[in-house]
Amino acid sequence: MKKYFAEFIGTLLLTLIACGIAVITNANLPITAAAFGLVIVACSYMFGNISGSHINPAVSLSMLLTNKMNFKDFVGYVISQFAGAICGSLLLWIILGSRAFLGANGYGEGTLATTVWIALLVEIILTFIFILVVLCVTSKKENSKISGIVIGLAIMLVNLFGIKFTGTSVNPARS
């Protein structure tokens, strides 16, 4: 249960803090990208030794597909991640006093992704890049000391590119 609780708290923090910063800075590109990266770094070092700090169903799916996780844990992780994201969103809503702008993703007017197809393509490419980084950096035990930093930098990178297109998700639970 400890690993599921870690996934719940990590996803809650990602949603509350990083999306909250996106809202209060009006999605300022470098600040928002840094916020997502820094939350990932912090959670990696807080929860990495407990759950691996996936805090993202796409990461958990990649771990399942590469036989680094069993199906029972995958289901527990995904449920915990979605519950954490919902609780983080509710806390953000309470704190902001409005649900109008909670750091949601989108496309169309006001974004560079003018169609659902461009938005989908951008999200697929960015998720692929992010998951590839996660799989590569976690493939060797000797990378464990730097993996949180590398993964956090990867999320910053994909956010720097994707925020103006879709708000960047690469995380089905947070979206």
Side-chain angles (χ1 to χ4, degrees):
M1 285 306 286
K2 197 159 59 164
K3 57 188 166 189
Y4 304 135
F5 186 66
E7 289 298 309
F8 171 84
I9 295 296
T11 312
L12 181 149
L13 291 174
L14 179 67
T15 305
L16 174 65
I17 303 299
C19 290
I21 288 171
V23 171
I24 63 177
T25 65
N26 200 24
N28 176 284
L29 187 60
I31 293 171
T32 301
F36 277 94
L38 291 171
V39 171
I40 293 293
V41 169
C43 287
S44 292
Y45 290 102
M46 284 190 299
F47 305 121
N49 63 331
I50 299 168
S51 68
S53 193
H54 299 180
I55 62 176
N56 181 334
V59 172
S60 296
L61 180 61
S62 74
M63 295 299 162
L64 176 69
L65 295 175
T66 57
N67 296 315
K68 294 180 182 176
M69 166 180 260
N70 65 48
F71 187 74
K72 177 186 169 272
D73 280 341
F74 169 74
V75 171
Y77 272 47
V78 170
I79 290 169
S80 299
Q81 293 157 354
F82 275 94
I86 290 167
C87 288
S89 296
L90 289 172
L91 285 171
L92 189 56
W93 179 11
I94 291 166
I95 291 166
L96 294 174
S98 168
R99 65 183 181 138
F101 302 100
L102 294 179
N105 302 102
Y107 69 93
E109 190 176 327
T111 73
L112 295 177
T114 55
T115 69
V116 68
W117 302 112
I118 296 298
L120 185 62
L121 179 62
V122 167
E123 286 294 328
I124 289 169
I125 291 168
L126 296 180
T127 302
F128 173 79
I129 292 167
F130 178 62
I131 296 301
L132 184 61
V133 168
V134 169
L135 289 173
C136 289
V137 77
T138 60
S139 68
K140 294 183 179 176
K141 211 167 194 70
E142 57 267 19
N143 290 342
S144 64
K145 289 183 178 165
I146 62 159
S147 62
I149 294 168
V150 172
I151 293 168
L153 289 172
I155 208 68
M156 284 176 64
L157 178 68
V158 299
N159 271 283
L160 283 170
F161 181 82
I163 285 172
K164 295 295 181 182
F165 284 94
T166 62
T168 311
S169 175
V170 302
N171 187 333
R174 192 190 64 74
S175 292

